[in-house]
Amino acid sequence: ASPLDELVLQETIEAVRQAVLALPEHYREAIILCELHEMSYQQVASILDCSLGTVRSRLHRGRLLLLDRLRGEMQAGRLPDDGERTVNKII
């Protein structure tokens, strides 16, 4: 990867991190446990003391919120337009 590609990747990762931190807590917890800690939905349901359907719902809504926020960052010019491809790999 070129230095420019590495810079784009690092900026995108930081934008995703900030977007995850800005999520409401119940979405953030589900995203972090499933995506970052690679736990199963059932494990997350047990940890969060909620149903499997609730975990799925929180993940779905959390991912949508993340994508909306990151698309806004791209439209505002704070992330490169090709960052969406990288965002989709990350989340």
Side-chain angles (χ1 to χ4, degrees), residues 4 8 11-12 15-16 18 20 22 26 33-34 36 50-52 54 56 59 69 71-72 74 77-80 90:
L4 180 58
V8 168
E11 288 177 351
T12 304
V16 170
Q18 292 298 321
V20 168
H26 56 280
L33 292 173
C34 284
L36 299 178
C50 63
S51 72
L52 189 60
T54 299
R56 288 183 175 144
L59 284 169
R69 180 180 177 105
R71 284 187 180 127
M74 284 182 271
R78 291 185 287 268
L79 275 177
I90 295 170

Side-chain angles (χ1 to χ4, degrees), residues 25-59 63:
E25 184 178 2
H26 56 280
Y27 298 136
R28 184 175 60 243
E29 289 173 334
I31 294 280
I32 289 172
L33 292 173
C34 284
E35 302 296 344
L36 299 178
H37 293 286
E38 299 179 347
M39 292 182 176
S40 71
Y41 292 5
Q42 189 60 49
Q43 289 172 310
V44 173
S46 177
I47 290 169
L48 298 179
D49 194 28
C50 63
S51 72
L52 189 60
T54 299
V55 171
R56 288 183 175 144
S57 176
R58 289 177 182 178
L59 284 169
R63 288 174 181 143

